[in-house]
């Protein structure tokens, strides 16, 4: 996991999962935002990444890329399965107040801005955003550029769809 910079008090990290077999062991263990970037060619990677994020107590997820909405649906489904499992094991009702909040963004810049500035959890102090890049073309340089822009009062465009700039 590579430190990219800060937005206010939040540290922003980057991990490219295709070239990093150890990525699962370096992500935070609790109270963090996952900003995921997945495209069509990354679809088979989504389920295992979602499970790993949930196992590591992610507090908020913001999903972008061509499969942003699908990634968010996987997170929602995993939350639901875990709630059912909890209820079956404990015979108590699951409290969704303590489950992660999920979002999906067609506008890449707006999604990253949201993840770094607004994503909150009333139960925990979130001070880390981990950008989990599924893509082959990578978006690290663009994320660094966006961090600089956000720190200089930039706001995302109002465009419904905005694609990231890829490194290659």
């Amino acid at each position: 996991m590579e430190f990219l910079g800060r937005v206010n008090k939040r540290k922003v990290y980057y991990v490219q999962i295709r070239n990093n077999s150890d990525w699962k062991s370096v992500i935070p263990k609790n109270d963090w935002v996952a900003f995921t970037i997945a495209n069509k060619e990354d679809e088979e990677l989504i389920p295992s990444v979602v499970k790993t994020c949930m196992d590591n107590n992610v507090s908020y997820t913001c999903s972008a890329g061509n499969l942003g909405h699908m990634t968010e649906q996987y997170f929602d489904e995993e939350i639901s399965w875990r709630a059912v499992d909890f209820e079956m094991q404990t015979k108590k009702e699951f409290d969704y107040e303590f489950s992660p909040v999920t979002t999906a963004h067609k506008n890449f810049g707006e999604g990253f801005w949201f993840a770094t500035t607004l994503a909150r959890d009333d139960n925990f102090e979130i001070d880390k955003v981990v950008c989990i890049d599924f893509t082959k073309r990578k978006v690290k340089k663009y994320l660094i550029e966006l961090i600089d822009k956000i720190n200089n009062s930039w706001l995302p465009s109002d465009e419904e769809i905005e694609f990231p700039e890829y490194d290659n």
Side-chain angles (χ1 to χ4, degrees):
M1 195 165 67
E2 183 178 347
F3 177 71
L4 296 184
R6 288 181 183 264
V7 173
N8 299 316
K9 293 181 179 181
R10 291 193 178 173
K11 295 177 184 174
V12 181
Y13 297 94
Y14 175 83
V15 62
Q16 212 293 332
I17 63 171
R18 285 186 176 273
N19 301 335
N20 183 355
S21 59
D22 294 333
W23 74 270
K24 291 178 183 182
S25 65
V26 298
I27 61 174
K29 301 297 181 216
N30 53 32
D31 309 335
W32 57 290
V33 175
F35 180 70
T36 63
I37 308 101
N39 292 329
K40 183 65 180 158
E41 66 272 12
D42 310 313
E43 186 173 353
E44 74 281 355
L45 301 172
I46 295 172
S48 66
V49 171
V50 165
K51 286 180 192 234
T52 299
C53 290
M54 292 294 296
D55 289 345
N56 284 20
N57 302 305
V58 66
S59 295
Y60 215 108
T61 71
C62 300
S63 300
N66 299 109
L67 295 184
H69 285 282
M70 177 184 280
T71 306
E72 181 191 24
Q73 289 172 344
Y74 270 96
F75 274 109
D76 290 341
E77 185 177 271
E78 185 67 21
I79 291 166
S80 297
W81 281 116
R82 289 175 186 227
V84 168
D85 187 50
F86 172 85
E87 290 178 353
M88 289 176 62
Q89 288 185 19
T90 66
K91 307 297 185 223
K92 296 178 185 176
E93 188 173 331
F94 182 78
D95 186 352
Y96 285 92
E97 177 73 21
F98 296 99
S99 65
V101 176
T102 66
T103 63
H105 305 269
K106 291 182 181 179
N107 179 319
F108 186 90
E110 186 270 338
F112 183 70
W113 174 83
F114 184 86
T116 57
T117 62
L118 293 180
R120 303 249 183 268
D121 187 319
D122 293 336
N123 303 304
F124 306 103
E125 178 68 29
I126 296 175
D127 64 354
K128 294 174 282 304
V129 176
V130 178
C131 303
I132 302 174
D133 190 347
F134 294 60
T135 69
K136 293 177 181 176
R137 299 186 305 174
K138 303 180 181 94
V139 294
K140 183 173 112 178
K141 291 176 188 172
Y142 189 51
L143 294 170
I144 292 169
E145 181 181 317
L146 288 175
I147 290 168
D148 185 53
K149 286 180 175 182
I150 292 168
N151 285 330
N152 286 297
S153 304
W154 171 86
L155 293 173
S157 76
D158 291 333
E159 296 296 320
E160 180 182 354
I161 298 173
E162 181 183 277
F163 298 105
E165 295 174 18
Y166 291 99
D167 294 357
N168 54 28

